[in-house]
Structures are given as structure tokens and as C-alpha cells.
Amino acid sequence: MLRSMTGFGRCVVENPAFVQQWEIRSVNNRHLDIKWRLPANARYLEPTLEKVVRRQVSRGRVEVSLQLQFSPGFGPRPVFDRQQAQDMLDALHDLAASRGEDFAGGYAQLLNVPELWTRQDIEQESDITSRLEQGLNLAIEDWNESRECEGEALGLDLQGRIERMGEWTALISGSAPGIREERIAVLRERLEEFLADSGTELEDARFLQEIVILTDRLDVSEELTRLGAHLERMRQLLKDGTDAGKRLDFTLQECFREINTCGNKLVDAHLSRIIVDFKNELEKCREQVQNLE
């Protein structure tokens, strides 16, 4: 299924220990770029959680955020650095003794020393880690649903444009022989006028040589064959949906090349308008494809 690189997913999971709220936002990008916003005590989990996300996405700029609220008595417990506190107290006691004073510091003052306090990392709690991974997967499911919904809309739009370009390709193919014959007739007429003015006759061999050269220059059968194959390739890519964005973008570039050549070879007012519309349609397709994964 086609997936857009633009999407939003959200998940809230509650249990007696904690409430986790995940949000995932993404926009288009040439490569995969994941940005994390995790609580301080969950940042050690980033490599583990990133593997979960990378299994579901190949391109795009993705922002993943987590809000975590523990119930009383269930959160990671504070860890006190006893050795550092003991060293600090001993140093203060020695300082007071060197000045002939008594050290009268209280333990309550240690509460205001942030270097002595850390919080247990969630990484050390395997059950919490497992539940966070489950919550993230639920958010990814919601996110993928929104991306697939937009991808389906983009696919329908592209299908309509491809069918329109297919009709124009058939029209160009049907008109090309007539344009070629018209150009040949104009060439014959001009040559005859020129030769009449100069008092000479048209040589069939020379005329046939010019006709061969002109016919080759006006022949767009190969370009139209390749163009039709490219359009069919795009239909198949939209149907398959696997890594469609990059493949479609490349195929559209090839379509631009072929239709440009047709426009340069077939100088005709009516076909020129069709070729301009064709290019405009290809550009609109490229804009849409930029959002597909």
C-alpha cells in the first residue's frame, strides 16, 4: 500500500504503574531523519526505540515524543551517591578542624546538592521498557494509518493524471504521421518553387534524400514507445506501493525527457499545446510524488 511521508499518530496507554502518551509527526524528506523527545530518565532507551521506528519507515523527517507520568510509588527511585556525600562531609570537617572550629553541618543540606542525586534509568526496568515499546508500536500503527490514508488519496490523484497523459500519448501518436506528411509536402512545394525560380527541375533522387533526412528527424515512434512504457511502469508502481516514491520520481524524469524530444521534433501548434499540458501534468505528478515514501 502507498504511504505518504506526511502523517500524525498518537497513543495513550494507562496502567496502574504509569501513563504513557506517544505522539509521532512526520513530513517529507529525501532520507530518514528521526528526532526524539524523551524524558530524561528514558533517554537511554533511544537506540532501542529507534529500531522499532526504523522497521516501519524508510524515508521522511520523523519526530517522536513521549510524555511519561508515574503513579505514586511506581516511578524510578532516586539514587543517592553515598561515597561522594561522605567525601564532601569529610572535607568540610577537615576544613573546620584546620580553622579550630566545630563542623556543624546538617544532613538536610545534602538535599540541595544535585550532584548527589540521580534517578534510576528506565532501561534498568525491563517490564517498563517492554510496555513502552508496546505503546510506541500502537502509536506507529495510528501514524501508519494516517499515512496510508493520505497515500491512497495521492495514488488516486496520480492514477487520474497518468490516464490523462496516456490519452495524450495516443493522440500524439495518431497525429504524428499526418504532421510528417504535411511537412514533406511543404518541403516538396518549397523545393519546386525554388527550382522553378532558378530554372532547374527537381531531381527525384535528391528529393528522396531530403525526404529520408526529414522523416528521420520527424520520427517520434521510439520516444512514444518509451513514453508509453514509462506510464505503464508508473501504473504498476502505484499498484505495488513498495518504495514507490523514489521509483516514481525517476520514471517521471524519463517521461520529461521523452516528451521534450517529441516537442522538439513535432513543430505543430495543436500538438504544442498538448505537449505543454503534458509537461504541466508531469510537474504536478512530481509534486505529489515528493510526499510518497
Side-chain angles (χ1 to χ4, degrees):
M1 181 175 291
L2 289 173
R3 284 180 177 175
S4 170
M5 284 186 280
T6 303
F8 175 79
R10 185 173 183 271
C11 172
V12 179
V13 180
E14 300 183 17
N15 58 61
F18 60 89
V19 178
Q20 54 176 310
Q21 177 177 309
W22 290 95
E23 285 190 0
I24 305 177
R25 305 171 186 270
S26 62
V27 295
N28 62 327
N29 195 45
R30 292 183 61 187
H31 308 287
L32 179 58
D33 182 17
I34 305 176
K35 303 295 185 183
W36 292 91
R37 295 175 58 188
L38 300 175
N41 54 5
R43 288 173 186 165
Y44 286 100
L45 285 174
E46 184 177 316
T48 301
L49 298 174
E50 183 152 333
K51 292 179 182 178
V52 177
V53 178
R54 286 184 176 274
R55 285 195 292 266
Q56 297 290 334
V57 62
S58 59
R59 290 202 302 159
R61 187 182 302 276
V62 185
E63 295 183 2
V64 186
S65 63
L66 168 65
Q67 294 183 14
L68 199 57
Q69 183 176 358
F70 286 93
S71 302
F74 286 93
R77 297 180 179 182
V79 178
F80 182 67
D81 192 338
R82 298 171 59 92
Q83 184 60 52
Q84 186 174 358
Q86 182 64 55
D87 293 342
M88 291 173 66
L89 289 173
D90 290 343
L92 291 173
H93 185 273
D94 292 343
L95 176 62
S98 67
R99 296 170 57 88
E101 300 173 352
D102 293 331
F103 174 64
Y107 291 108
Q109 294 175 344
L110 298 178
L111 294 173
N112 298 320
V113 183
E115 290 80 5
L116 298 178
W117 298 93
T118 57
R119 296 191 67 85
Q120 186 179 22
D121 295 327
I122 293 177
E123 189 181 33
Q124 300 173 11
E125 301 287 345
S126 59
D127 182 59
I128 295 177
T129 301
S130 176
R131 292 186 181 185
L132 288 178
E133 289 184 13
Q134 293 173 6
L136 176 57
N137 276 312
L138 291 175
I140 290 174
E141 289 179 9
D142 187 53
W143 173 54
N144 280 337
E145 185 177 341
S146 73
R147 296 200 299 140
E148 289 168 1
C149 182
E150 183 171 339
E152 182 179 1
L154 291 174
L156 291 174
D157 180 78
L158 288 168
Q159 283 281 11
R161 298 182 187 279
I162 291 171
E163 295 307 316
R164 193 175 302 119
M165 289 187 290
E167 294 172 1
W168 289 337
T169 301
L171 184 59
I172 295 172
S173 179
S175 302
I179 296 173
R180 184 168 58 248
E181 294 300 323
E182 181 181 348
R183 292 288 299 278
I184 292 172
V186 170
L187 176 63
R188 173 185 284 275
E189 182 179 349
R190 289 182 178 178
L191 283 173
E192 288 177 345
E193 290 177 357
F194 175 78
L195 294 173
D197 293 339
S198 62
T200 57
E201 296 182 355
L202 177 64
E203 296 180 7
D204 289 341
R206 176 64 182 277
F207 178 71
L208 289 175
Q209 182 181 2
E210 294 295 332
I211 291 301
V212 169
I213 296 173
L214 181 61
T215 301
D216 183 63
R217 290 177 179 175
L218 297 176
D219 185 15
V220 294
S221 57
E222 293 183 5
E223 287 82 0
L224 292 174
T225 298
R226 288 193 293 267
L227 186 57
H230 294 329
L231 294 176
E232 182 59 34
R233 170 65 171 164
M234 287 195 289
R235 294 188 187 96
Q236 189 61 44
L237 288 172
L238 290 175
K239 182 179 178 181
D240 295 342
T242 303
D243 195 22
K246 289 183 178 180
R247 298 171 187 265
L248 284 168
D249 188 54
F250 174 79
T251 307
L252 285 168
Q253 292 180 35
E254 296 301 307
C255 289
F256 266 112
R257 183 177 305 174
E258 304 301 343
I259 198 64
N260 266 330
T261 304
C262 290
N264 293 333
K265 287 186 174 183
L266 299 176
V267 181
D268 178 78
H270 177 62
L271 282 187
S272 293
R273 289 193 293 269
I274 294 177
I275 289 172
V276 169
D277 290 339
F278 204 119
K279 292 180 181 178
N280 289 335
E281 206 69 18
L282 286 172
E283 187 60 39
K284 292 176 183 177
C285 287
R286 287 194 66 182
E287 292 174 1
Q288 298 287 49
V289 164
Q290 298 305 313
N291 290 313
L292 287 177
E293 185 180 350

